[in-house]
Amino acid sequence: MWAYWNFYGDLQNDLLGILPINRMGKEAMELKAVLGRACERNSIYRYDADCRDGGVNTPIAGKKLKFDAWKGILLNDKLPLERFFGVPKKDGRYINNSVGAFATEFQKAVSDSPAEFLQNVLNMKEEINVVFVKALARGIAYSNRHDEVDNGSIEEMFLKYPYDYGTGIALEYCEIIERKQDILWSESTLDMLCSIIHERRAFIQDKSEEDAEASKETIEKAESKMLYFVVGVAARAISGILFGNRSALEKFKAPLDELVDDVDFVSRYACVHALWTAYYIDRDWAIARIIRMYHSDFRLAGISVQCRVQQVIQW
């Protein structure tokens, strides 16, 4: 469901309405009273006879559109940026016609036919909203058929829509590289990964909060953040490339050296992960940095055994 202006208040009102009165504390009772006055609807959900909620949909939800129809949506500059909560349809569903909602549907369509949609977008001469570019990249990355897309076409996308084209695109590009079985990439893609790491601070919205939280990170948090943090995914992508392209280490040494002394714990942890892969290529170079990092922060020695075992198996 898509969030709207009062969504979280309505959601809290729904959740509090489920709790038994005799199990609610004073604060919960007071909050329920306030939300009960503020919320105009009894519930943010609309249930039918089969207990299915009404929810929110786009006008094209459930439809399988051809790319010609999608092209009209991609070039529609009149789509609202934010959704508004209008009058529900007869079945209780609300219509969300925002750019973000259509982008979600576009991502689903791309995931079903990634090679076809990518080629069609590459053939377009017109500019499209960055939200759709991100949806295109994410659709490819998370598609079960992403290996059907050749690296050459993906690299065309990297060049047509650079990683700094808009917020979040760098992460999606790194995820594509990490997930692809074909790990043979051109020099321009290797350079892109190096640039993303070099410019990593640009992808952190609140740098002061990042610095303040650096000393509080745990191994568990670091391993979790590596899954959606740009530097973490980039480091994992680099590890994957090194398994099939040992000579690429020379290009990646400089960006990995930057991460060795990074203030951010997750970045340093991601670096250790990549260094253990580099260890099997240039042992002296990698071990010198791993030991230095362990001496500077004992938490870095906690890289999971599972990660190490996976690396050994792949080698």
Side-chain angles (χ1 to χ4, degrees):
M1 173 175 285
W2 285 80
Y4 52 92
W5 185 254
N6 296 321
F7 175 81
Y8 296 106
D10 288 346
L11 178 60
Q12 288 183 81
N13 188 49
D14 268 16
L15 295 176
L16 288 171
I18 298 173
L19 296 176
I21 298 296
N22 62 343
R23 299 296 298 274
M24 296 175 66
K26 180 181 178 182
E27 291 183 357
M29 290 286 289
E30 291 176 351
L31 179 59
K32 187 177 187 303
V34 172
L35 292 173
R37 293 193 298 269
C39 297
E40 298 177 0
R41 296 172 297 279
N42 291 327
S43 173
I44 60 175
Y45 300 103
R46 300 291 184 269
Y47 294 95
D48 59 22
D50 297 320
C51 294
R52 294 176 299 188
D53 67 275
V56 182
N57 288 114
T58 63
I60 60 172
K63 299 178 181 178
K64 215 167 173 56
L65 303 182
K66 294 184 177 180
F67 188 78
D68 286 341
W70 271 113
K71 186 174 180 180
I73 296 173
L74 298 180
L75 298 177
N76 186 350
D77 58 1
K78 295 183 179 179
L79 294 175
L81 295 177
E82 303 291 340
R83 75 168 306 279
F84 58 88
F85 209 72
V87 178
K89 299 184 74 175
K90 290 182 180 180
D91 61 359
R93 291 187 173 275
Y94 289 81
I95 296 301
N96 182 356
N97 62 343
S98 68
V99 171
F102 278 105
T104 299
E105 296 293 338
F106 184 60
Q107 179 183 321
K108 295 175 185 176
V110 172
S111 291
D112 289 338
S113 305
E116 176 189 347
F117 271 81
L118 175 58
Q119 194 56 55
N120 282 321
V121 171
L122 291 176
N123 291 338
M124 291 178 61
K125 296 181 180 179
E126 304 90 345
E127 290 290 322
I128 63 175
N129 191 307
V130 63
V131 177
F132 289 116
V133 176
K134 181 178 179 180
L136 172 67
R138 191 170 180 79
I140 295 171
Y142 287 92
S143 172
N144 293 328
R145 302 172 60 186
H146 61 265
D147 282 318
E148 296 178 10
V149 187
D150 66 274
N151 287 7
S153 296
I154 291 174
E155 291 184 322
E156 284 187 53
M157 177 179 66
F158 292 165
L159 295 175
K160 185 173 183 178
Y161 305 108
Y163 67 88
D164 56 357
Y165 190 79
T167 304
I169 292 180
L171 175 62
E172 314 303 346
Y173 284 0
C174 291
E175 287 183 326
I176 291 176
I177 298 170
E178 179 199 3
R179 291 169 182 270
K180 283 276 289 177
Q181 291 294 317
D182 184 355
I183 55 178
L184 298 179
W185 299 94
S186 69
E187 287 293 311
S188 64
T189 296
L190 304 187
D191 289 337
M192 181 185 75
L193 285 173
C194 294
S195 296
I196 288 174
I197 290 179
H198 181 66
E199 299 169 20
R200 60 194 177 280
R201 297 283 286 182
F203 304 112
I204 302 172
Q205 294 182 345
D206 190 341
K207 299 178 179 60
S208 60
E209 181 179 343
E210 172 221 14
D211 295 341
E213 292 295 320
S215 62
K216 302 178 184 178
E217 295 286 3
T218 62
I219 291 300
E220 291 75 15
K221 286 183 179 180
E223 290 193 348
S224 175
K225 284 187 176 182
M226 275 184 64
L227 300 176
Y228 60 86
F229 186 47
V230 176
V231 175
V233 181
R236 291 169 67 90
I238 288 174
S239 291
I241 291 173
L242 291 178
F243 281 119
N245 184 1
R246 297 167 66 94
S247 63
L249 177 59
E250 291 305 315
K251 182 176 286 290
F252 291 137
K253 280 183 176 181
L256 290 177
D257 271 332
E258 287 187 40
L259 297 180
V260 168
D261 299 310
D262 195 287
V263 65
D264 179 67
F265 178 69
V266 179
S267 295
R268 298 199 307 278
Y269 186 81
C271 181
V272 173
H273 188 280
L275 285 174
W276 274 116
T277 304
Y279 172 83
Y280 296 100
I281 302 172
D282 188 337
R283 181 170 301 185
D284 292 339
W285 179 86
I287 203 66
R289 283 150 183 79
I290 292 171
I291 292 174
R292 189 169 107 211
M293 295 178 76
Y294 284 178
H295 284 167
S296 67
D297 193 331
F298 70 91
R299 293 175 297 173
L300 294 170
I303 185 168
S304 70
V305 174
Q306 182 180 4
C307 289
R308 291 294 314 283
V309 170
Q310 287 176 345
Q311 289 170 325
V312 172
I313 290 174
Q314 285 179 284
W315 281 103

